[in-house]
Amino acid sequence: MRALIRREVPLAVPAAAAWEYVTDWPSQSDWVPHTRVEHADPAAPARGVGGRIRAWSGLGRIGFWDTMTITSWEVRPDGGGRCEVLHTGTVVRGEGEFEVVADGPDASRFLWSELAVVPGGRLGALGWKVARPVIERLLDQGLAVLKERLEGGPEEAARA
């Protein structure tokens, strides 16, 4: 089974500022709930096609690594951009996409989508029915923090 989650949040900041912030992978630890994001290979850049990142998702020592490889990277002249990743871990598998769309000189939208492979057949599908609203709520909370950090100005984002 494959499951699709999409989220969108309007931002009162230029697309370039939003793009820079959402693709600064370690800063995602500040707004993605219960997740620590880092470069999979500190010696290699994690921007552009072939870049690799990983995210520890969980509480304390209980959790899992979500490993990702960037499969598409586009930066637009208006400051927006799109990044697609392939989740290659043992728990999370599938595709993800981040996109920042310019809505004028001082406004943008951040779009997040995940097309995940839900393992476990019928049992996995049943588990997904329970987990989906929890995951969606966590994502919504994270996007609210992202919006707050970006719209709070450089001082707020720097504290993040």
Side-chain angles (χ1 to χ4, degrees):
M1 173 185 156
R2 293 173 70 81
L4 177 64
I5 293 181
R6 287 189 177 152
R7 289 294 187 259
E8 180 175 332
V9 63
L11 301 167
V13 298
W19 176 251
E20 188 64 29
Y21 189 66
V22 300
T23 60
D24 173 18
W25 307 121
S27 78
Q28 286 188 11
S29 303
D30 298 327
W31 57 272
V32 179
H34 309 294
T35 302
R36 181 180 81 242
V37 183
E38 59 188 41
H39 299 201
D41 179 359
R47 286 180 162 212
V49 174
R52 294 182 310 121
I53 55 177
R54 65 184 193 162
W56 176 260
S57 294
L59 296 171
R61 293 183 183 197
I62 300 171
F64 58 90
W65 282 109
D66 176 8
T67 55
M68 294 162 264
T69 300
I70 298 170
T71 57
S72 179
W73 184 271
E74 173 189 354
V75 180
R76 301 186 189 113
D78 63 11
R82 186 175 56 79
C83 172
E84 294 179 9
V85 299
L86 179 64
H87 294 275
T88 59
T90 56
V91 176
V92 179
R93 300 195 63 81
E95 299 88 36
E97 180 179 338
F98 281 0
E99 185 171 14
V100 173
V101 177
D103 285 336
D106 296 319
S108 56
R109 283 175 286 135
F110 176 64
L111 298 89
W112 182 349
S113 65
E114 297 284 343
L115 182 58
V117 175
V118 178
R122 293 175 118 162
L123 186 58
L126 180 61
W128 177 245
K129 285 185 178 186
V130 173
R132 182 183 188 118
V134 173
I135 291 169
E136 288 176 335
R137 184 176 179 128
L138 287 170
L139 288 174
D140 290 342
Q141 289 172 351
L143 292 178
V145 171
L146 168 70
K147 182 176 179 69
E148 179 182 293
R149 298 272 164 91
L150 278 169
E151 292 179 355
E155 299 82 20
E156 184 63 34
R159 275 195 299 241

